[in-house]
Amino acid sequence: MRTSEAGCRVKNKTPAPIQITAEHILREALERQKAEIRLPPNHKIADSGELADYRLRKRKEYEDLIGRAKWNIRVWVQYAQWEESQKEFGRARSVWERALEVNYRNHTLWLRYADFEMRNKFINHARNVWDRTVSLLPRVDQLWYKYIHMEEMLGNVAGARQIFGRWMNWIPDQQGWLSFIKFELRYNEIERARDIYTAFEKQYGDKEGIQDFLPSKKRLEYEDFLPSKKRLEYEDALLSKKRLEYEDEVRKNPLNYDAWFDYTRLEVSAGNKNRVRELYERAIANEPPSQEKKYWQRYVYLWINYALYEELDAEDGERTRAVYRLCLQRIPHEKFSFAKIWILAAQFEIRRLNLKGARQILGNAIGKTPKHKIFKRYIEIELQLGNVDRCRKIYEKYLEWCPQSSCAWSKFAEMERSLGETDRARAIFELAVDQPALDKPEPLWKAYVDLEISEGEYERARRLEERLLDRTMKRRRPIHSEDGGLSWMEGNLAPNLKIMEAAYNWKKRRVSSLKD
């Protein structure tokens, strides 16, 4: 016994490099199984005879299931859906009807039946289903909602209203009445909504009852359906309350222009012209204390709103003109100005057919505070009127004021080119490229080269590109050192590498096109 025990004793107790777990054993047992997994056959139908046999077999299966479990609604639904998938709509409808004979109180069955009719666009059949279901189950609110929703989606507002009326005869809960009211409000039928509120009060008592079930944000809407006298009293009270709030805000901080905006908007909605004008006069009297543009931006919009009110709401042209004039006098143009107010004043004069007044305003703007927007708008107006000579004079003033504007030079040349004055356009481009400093020279040179190419002057275009390269390429110049040695240093005549690269690409492209 001792010898056998000594022979069975484990001499090496170190763990094996690969530990075998239960998962390994199960995986190996599964791999050793050679049983084949048989999949159901993929049956393909080749002709109408096979299709008929397949349908007959499936119908027999469903009929057998129904015979064993007649009260199982799921089987009926699957049977009807299968018939629908086979485009056998008459048979599917017959299945639904048989299912309803089994249990007509199941409203889910009615919903699925109606969805089947709507999904396949059988509108009249769907109406018949909904009409039957709301007659048999009038206490199920979901059926009424679905019926009304279908009619509203079809645009049959009168039909939906009639269904709501039938529903109200069954005296639904408050939510049903509220849905009817919201329906009328969606189509701006205020009087009808007021009648519904009255009918609700007769059923549930005074207005406190309806206030209880209205959401908090909707409770004040009930006042819109009060008689006219009470509604006006309510609106006046609400208006007075808002006035007190805004008065308190502007009294605490007269420079709070956002509060003035809200206050004037409130008075404009009230419709009292005298109050609106008085309020605007009070608002514009609060001039910013510092003459910095950032503090005047909101203040100028008070003047703009005042002028627009006089023009659009009050329809008083003289007062509008006076507002614009006073605003332009109030702005310190020697320090800053606003192109928007000049342009709005000029556009107002154009709407009043006073072209002389509009030109005078824009001319004063150019003389006092020239701005890019003012020049562009002035040129646009004159070009629309067909006054080319005036456009040329304005462009001359524009370029005298800002000769480094590549956009202005390009637009001027483009206008001349559109008029057929190619020589004028070429002369303008020549003056432009000779300017010592340009903000964006690349588009200007490109427009000049494109002009020559469009005119068929390829030699001119080639010379232009050579001029551009001469201006932009780096050249080497000799440098003499103190010991008499000679070295070379690259100097950049025009350090704009983008122009050089663009010119090189243009030249390469043009040379290849000419060779072809």
Side-chain angles (χ1 to χ4, degrees):
M1 291 296 293
R2 292 179 181 178
T3 304
S4 61
E5 289 178 1
C8 295
R9 187 175 300 171
V10 178
K11 297 180 180 180
N12 188 1
K13 296 184 179 181
T14 58
I18 299 175
Q19 296 293 318
I20 299 175
T21 62
E23 182 181 0
H24 291 151
I25 297 171
L26 292 173
R27 185 182 294 122
E28 185 178 358
L30 184 63
E31 290 174 355
R32 292 181 180 228
Q33 288 180 358
K34 296 183 179 180
E36 297 180 358
I37 300 174
R38 295 184 179 181
L39 297 175
N42 188 7
H43 183 67
K44 292 183 179 180
I45 298 174
D47 54 18
S48 58
E50 291 185 6
L51 177 61
D53 293 339
Y54 164 72
R55 287 178 175 175
L56 181 63
R57 186 171 61 255
K58 290 292 291 184
R59 288 187 183 117
K60 187 176 184 304
E61 292 176 2
Y62 279 119
E63 292 292 343
D64 292 340
L65 288 174
I66 290 172
R68 291 194 299 268
K70 187 176 182 180
W71 297 97
N72 191 349
I73 300 300
R74 182 180 297 179
V75 177
W76 290 101
V77 172
Q78 291 176 356
Y79 191 6
Q81 290 176 347
W82 180 82
E83 292 288 358
E84 182 185 359
S85 67
Q86 299 298 312
K87 305 299 180 182
E88 295 284 348
F89 300 117
R91 288 181 175 274
R93 192 173 293 115
S94 175
V95 173
W96 287 115
E97 292 291 342
R98 288 169 59 194
L100 291 173
E101 290 178 0
V102 174
N103 186 6
Y104 76 92
R105 294 183 180 276
N106 190 333
H107 69 279
T108 304
L109 203 57
W110 287 101
L111 290 172
R112 288 178 175 270
Y113 188 9
D115 287 339
F116 154 73
E117 299 289 3
M118 291 190 296
R119 185 167 53 249
N120 294 286
K121 299 181 180 180
F122 299 118
I123 305 302
N124 290 329
H125 283 286
R127 284 196 178 106
N128 292 334
V129 173
W130 288 123
D131 191 70
R132 288 165 58 195
T133 184
V134 296
S135 299
L136 293 172
L137 304 173
R139 295 298 181 186
V140 182
D141 294 344
Q142 186 181 8
L143 301 175
W144 292 101
Y145 284 127
K146 290 280 189 178
Y147 192 5
I148 294 165
H149 179 69
M150 185 194 76
E151 295 294 349
E152 196 171 358
M153 292 295 291
L154 294 172
N156 186 12
V157 180
R161 184 177 291 114
Q162 185 178 6
I163 297 166
F164 263 122
R166 290 174 56 190
W167 189 15
M168 295 305 108
N169 292 332
W170 287 95
I171 312 176
D173 58 2
Q174 290 95 333
Q175 188 61 39
W177 291 90
L178 181 59
S179 300
F180 196 6
I181 293 165
K182 289 180 178 179
F183 167 79
E184 297 294 354
L185 291 177
R186 280 199 298 272
Y187 299 98
N188 296 322
E189 296 288 345
I190 308 299
E191 293 298 328
R192 291 180 182 272
R194 186 180 294 116
D195 295 339
I196 297 167
Y197 272 115
T198 304
F200 177 84
E201 288 182 355
K202 291 181 180 178
Q203 185 65 35
Y204 289 93
D206 57 4
K207 70 175 184 179
E208 280 73 13
I210 197 168
Q211 292 282 30
D212 290 338
F213 80 87
L214 278 174
S216 58
K217 63 180 181 180
K218 293 285 186 180
R219 290 185 180 180
L220 291 179
E221 291 183 2
Y222 177 77
E223 306 296 340
D224 296 336
F225 308 103
L226 292 172
S228 300
K229 184 176 180 180
K230 291 184 178 180
R231 186 169 66 253
L232 291 176
E233 291 176 357
Y234 168 76
E235 291 175 354
D236 290 340
L238 185 61
L239 186 62
S240 300
K241 180 181 178 182
K242 297 296 290 184
R243 278 178 184 149
L244 291 175
E245 293 177 1
Y246 289 132
E247 283 289 345
D248 186 55
E249 289 185 21
V250 299
R251 186 179 66 255
K252 291 178 181 178
N253 185 9
L255 299 179
N256 184 3
Y257 298 120
D258 291 330
W260 286 109
F261 288 140
D262 296 336
Y263 197 0
T264 53
R265 196 178 298 115
L266 176 69
E267 293 296 347
V268 169
S269 64
N272 191 330
K273 291 183 181 180
N274 294 328
R275 275 185 174 274
V276 174
R277 286 169 176 163
E278 180 184 355
L279 187 60
Y280 269 120
E281 293 294 337
R282 288 174 55 196
I284 61 179
N286 297 286
E287 187 176 313
S290 176
Q291 290 190 351
E292 295 184 25
K293 188 172 183 178
K294 62 181 181 179
Y295 297 115
W296 281 69
Q297 289 177 344
R298 302 292 289 169
Y299 174 67
V300 167
Y301 270 98
L302 278 175
W303 287 93
I304 293 173
N305 290 347
Y306 190 9
L308 292 176
Y309 169 77
E310 293 291 353
E311 181 185 1
L312 302 177
D313 294 337
E315 298 180 354
D316 193 334
E318 293 301 325
R319 289 185 68 92
T320 306
R321 186 176 290 111
V323 171
Y324 279 122
R325 189 184 303 114
L326 289 173
C327 178
L328 292 172
Q329 292 174 1
R330 191 73 62 88
I331 298 172
H333 299 290
E334 64 278 0
K335 295 185 178 180
F336 58 85
S337 185
F338 296 92
K340 188 178 185 67
I341 194 70
W342 291 102
I343 294 172
L344 286 174
Q347 289 175 339
F348 163 73
E349 296 295 346
I350 292 172
R351 288 194 293 271
R352 306 291 291 183
L353 303 179
N354 184 10
L355 295 178
K356 183 179 179 181
R359 286 175 178 144
Q360 185 178 2
I361 291 171
L362 292 173
N364 291 335
I366 291 172
K368 289 183 178 181
T369 58
K371 290 180 175 290
H372 293 282
K373 289 183 180 180
I374 297 174
F375 278 110
K376 291 177 182 178
R377 185 57 183 159
Y378 196 2
I379 292 167
E380 183 182 346
I381 291 171
E382 295 295 349
L383 196 59
Q384 288 175 351
L385 295 173
N387 297 322
V388 180
D389 293 334
R390 283 185 179 273
C391 292
R392 287 172 178 154
K393 292 179 182 179
I394 298 168
Y395 267 121
E396 290 174 4
K397 294 286 185 182
Y398 190 3
L399 295 171
E400 287 177 7
W401 170 68
C402 186
Q404 70 272 14
S405 175
S406 300
C407 181
W409 288 105
S410 299
K411 291 291 184 182
F412 192 8
E414 184 181 346
M415 184 193 76
E416 295 293 353
R417 182 185 174 187
S418 65
L419 296 172
E421 298 287 347
T422 308
D423 294 335
R424 281 180 177 269
R426 189 177 287 117
I428 292 167
F429 274 123
E430 284 294 334
L431 290 173
V433 298
D434 289 339
Q435 296 299 315
L438 291 170
D439 53 1
K440 295 179 180 179
E442 300 97 330
L444 184 65
W445 280 95
K446 184 178 183 302
Y448 194 4
V449 173
D450 290 342
L451 169 68
E452 299 296 353
I453 293 173
S454 63
E455 294 294 328
E457 298 289 344
Y458 298 107
E459 188 62 31
R460 286 178 178 269
R462 187 179 295 107
R463 288 199 298 268
L464 277 176
E465 291 169 350
E466 290 175 356
R467 286 172 58 188
L468 181 59
L469 286 173
D470 291 338
R471 290 195 179 196
T472 55
M473 288 183 63
K474 294 181 179 180
R475 295 180 178 178
R476 300 178 69 195
R477 56 189 178 91
I479 301 295
H480 297 278
S481 61
E482 295 180 355
D483 57 358
L486 182 65
S487 62
W488 295 84
M489 180 177 180
E490 291 187 348
N492 192 0
L493 297 179
N496 198 329
L497 298 179
K498 290 184 179 179
I499 301 178
M500 183 183 70
E501 184 181 357
Y504 177 75
N505 292 332
W506 290 335
K507 185 176 179 70
K508 186 178 178 181
R509 189 167 58 252
R510 298 294 177 245
V511 169
S512 62
S513 63
L514 290 175
K515 287 181 179 180
D516 295 339

